[in-house]
């Protein structure tokens, strides 16, 4: 088993109608990546589709079938078995841009291999992400050019100001797997909106950040049953409150108190 540079975890629950688009966008990473598909107790053809990919690409694709535990539970299961130096969650209805994906892999290869260990690896790659309202044919790119210097390793002390509407969201982040494990992150099961915890809780363990100014992640908006659909948001307000409470507890923790002032201000906000 050769080393994998990047582990993708794709949590799937009844994703038969769109998961292929997601997985096909990840396959061009070839043997440098592993794609861990988590079948979270699906009742549709997700199971067969996932198994077919594993059979066709045994060196790239690994499938985990588990009882339904929600998105966070899927991320936990993926992190537990990930072999990649870096780790990224890609939701089953989203996908990656091919060109930006290859640029990210080039950078990861460089820091894992060609830098010869002389230059320390980034703890976190930050990339842009794109909102896709496919039905209305509207796309909007979200970037971080005002926050991080592009194409070089920087530290929190060198960062600029986040705009009021600007956050480090899960879609923008590629963590070094070891950082996630050091942070001890375990997401709550059967809870929506836990990606906020995944995005923020490991940040105090991050020292070296590399901002790749590329539109990597395409975030799909528009499904009726989607967790960010307004009616669905209102019906799950209890879960929003729970995740906010967990976030508040984290912001009061020693990890945050002892961290860089700029990062501390961002997390408080």
């Amino acid at each position: 088993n050769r080393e994998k540079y990047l582990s993708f975890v794709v949590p799937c629950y009844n994703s038969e109608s769109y998961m292929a688009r997601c997985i096909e966008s990840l396959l061009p990473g070839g043997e440098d990546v592993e794609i861990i598909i988590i079948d979270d107790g699906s009742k549709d053809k997700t199971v067969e589709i996932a198994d077919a990919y594993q059979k066709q690409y045994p060196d790239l694709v690994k499938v985990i079938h588990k009882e339904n535990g929600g998105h966070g539970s899927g991320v936990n299961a993926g992190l537990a078995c990930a072999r990649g130096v870096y780790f990224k969650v890609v939701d089953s209805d989203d996908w990656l841009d091919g060109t930006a994906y290859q640029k990210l892999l080039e950078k990861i290869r460089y820091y894992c291999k060609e830098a010869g260990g002389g230059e320390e690896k980034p703890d976190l790659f930050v990339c842009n992400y794109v909102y896709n309202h496919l039905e209305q044919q509207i796309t909007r790119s979200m970037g971080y050019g005002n926050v991080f210097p592009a194409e070089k390793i920087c530290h929190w002390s060198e960062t600029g100001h986040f705009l009021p509407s600007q956050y480090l969201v899960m879609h923008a982040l590629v963590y070094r797997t070891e950082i996630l494990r050091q942070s001890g992150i375990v997401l709550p099961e059967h809870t929506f909106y836990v990606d906020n915890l995944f995005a923020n809780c490991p940040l105090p363990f991050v020292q070296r950040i590399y901002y790749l100014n590329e539109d990597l992640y395409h975030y799909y908006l528009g499904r009726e049953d989607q967790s960010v659909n307004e009616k669905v948001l209102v019906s799950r307000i209890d879960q929003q409150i729970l995740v906010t409470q967990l976030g508040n507890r984290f912001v009061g923790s020693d990890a945050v108190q002892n961290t860089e002032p700029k990062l501390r201000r961002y997390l408080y906000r």
Side-chain angles (χ1 to χ4, degrees):
N1 275 353
R2 55 168 287 184
E3 183 182 44
K4 299 289 187 180
Y5 293 131
L6 179 54
S7 294
F8 291 108
V9 170
V10 183
C12 294
Y13 177 69
N14 293 349
S15 307
E16 64 176 17
S17 57
Y18 40 76
M19 62 190 282
R21 176 181 61 194
C22 172
I23 294 160
E24 292 290 335
S25 80
L26 306 178
L27 289 171
E31 293 197 351
D32 286 344
V33 308
E34 64 172 352
I35 302 164
I36 305 168
I37 303 172
I38 310 288
D39 159 38
D40 193 36
S42 298
K43 309 273 195 293
D44 66 354
K45 290 207 173 77
T46 295
V47 179
E48 289 95 316
I49 294 167
D51 287 346
Y53 273 112
Q54 181 173 247
K55 193 174 177 191
Q56 191 177 351
Y57 301 99
D59 297 332
L60 265 75
V61 177
K62 174 177 182 160
V63 179
I64 296 174
H65 298 291
K66 58 186 279 307
E67 281 181 30
N68 182 262
H71 190 271
S73 153
V75 174
N76 294 340
L79 182 56
C81 70
R83 293 185 294 130
V85 181
Y86 289 90
F87 183 94
K88 181 150 189 65
V89 180
V90 183
D91 288 339
S92 58
D93 53 350
D94 299 336
W95 64 96
L96 299 191
D97 172 83
T99 307
Y101 179 18
Q102 291 306 324
K103 287 183 180 170
L104 172 66
L105 268 180
E106 269 170 43
K107 289 292 170 203
I108 289 176
R109 271 190 217 108
Y110 169 75
Y111 282 108
C112 288
K113 200 167 60 175
E114 290 148 39
E119 259 184 290
E120 287 196 78
K121 298 180 189 74
D123 297 324
L124 175 66
F125 281 94
V126 179
C127 303
N128 307 335
Y129 64 102
V130 179
Y131 283 117
N132 269 279
H133 297 263
L134 285 186
E135 284 74 13
Q136 298 146 317
Q137 296 187 311
I138 298 170
T139 61
R140 187 160 58 106
S141 172
M142 309 295 284
Y144 300 91
N146 57 307
V147 179
F148 302 108
E151 316 291 328
K152 68 181 205 116
I153 290 181
C154 74
H155 300 81
W156 292 112
S157 58
E158 299 165 69
T159 55
H161 287 287
F162 286 85
L163 300 172
S165 62
Q166 198 175 33
Y167 297 95
L168 291 172
V169 299
M170 186 172 77
H171 314 309
L173 307 179
V174 183
Y175 276 111
R176 194 156 63 80
T177 311
E178 193 50 43
I179 292 291
L180 293 171
R181 292 188 173 137
Q182 273 176 25
S183 78
I185 181 99
V186 178
L187 298 176
E189 301 208 338
H190 296 293
T191 309
F192 287 87
Y193 316 114
V194 293
D195 51 326
N196 293 312
L197 302 173
F198 181 86
N200 290 308
C201 297
L203 290 177
F205 296 84
V206 167
Q207 292 179 8
R208 293 175 299 282
I209 308 148
Y210 191 105
Y211 173 46
L212 186 64
N213 189 5
E214 297 282 342
D215 292 350
L216 174 69
Y217 192 105
H218 285 260
Y219 177 39
Y220 175 71
L221 288 170
R223 276 202 347 266
E224 282 295 309
D225 62 338
Q226 207 166 4
S227 60
V228 291
N229 176 299
E230 194 169 330
K231 286 189 186 120
V232 178
L233 279 168
V234 170
S235 72
R236 293 183 182 147
I237 191 70
D238 58 321
Q239 307 208 12
Q240 293 271 10
I241 290 167
L242 172 64
V243 167
T244 305
Q245 285 170 336
L246 292 169
N248 283 349
R249 205 177 301 160
F250 161 66
V251 165
S253 70
D254 289 343
V256 175
Q257 298 310 314
N258 300 328
T259 199
E260 295 267 351
K262 283 189 175 180
L263 173 58
R264 190 165 62 233
R265 276 200 298 275
Y266 166 74
L267 290 169
Y268 265 93
R269 201 200 77 199

